[in-house]
Amino acid sequence: YERFFADAAASTAEEGVGLAREAGLDASGEAIESGAGAWRALAQVAGARGAAVIVAGSRGRGGRGGPRRGERSRDVYDRLAG
C-alpha cells in the first residue's frame, strides 16, 4: 500500500505543478513522507526552497465523519503564519 500512496502523492504533486505552470507561475512540487506532522514538513521544505507561496490540497477525506473542508489547510496556515 505504501507504494500506491507514494505514487498517488507524486502524481498529484506533478498535476499541481503542471496547473501552476500553465497559469504562468514558476512552480515546483514534491511528495514527501513525514512522521512529524504536515505543517512541519511543509515549513521545512518551503524554507529550504525559499518558497514565497505554499499550496496544499486535501487528501480527499471529506464527507460524514471526516475533517471539515479546509480544516487541515487552515491548521497548516495558522501554524506557519503564527
Side-chain angles (χ1 to χ4, degrees):
Y1 292 109
E2 289 181 26
R3 188 81 202 136
F4 172 80
F5 289 115
D7 289 346
S11 177
T12 300
E14 290 172 16
E15 181 181 357
V17 168
L19 291 170
R21 288 182 177 161
E22 286 176 16
L25 300 172
D26 179 18
S28 64
E30 182 178 358
I32 60 171
E33 183 177 348
S34 172
W39 73 271
R40 285 185 178 97
L42 284 168
Q44 182 178 21
V45 172
R49 291 183 177 207
V53 176
I54 299 171
V55 178
S58 72
R59 293 184 283 176
R61 294 184 180 174
R64 295 191 114 184
R68 292 187 308 272
R69 184 178 199 136
E71 182 177 326
R72 298 292 172 234
S73 296
R74 181 64 190 191
D75 184 45
V76 169
Y77 171 80
D78 288 343
R79 290 178 185 267
L80 293 176

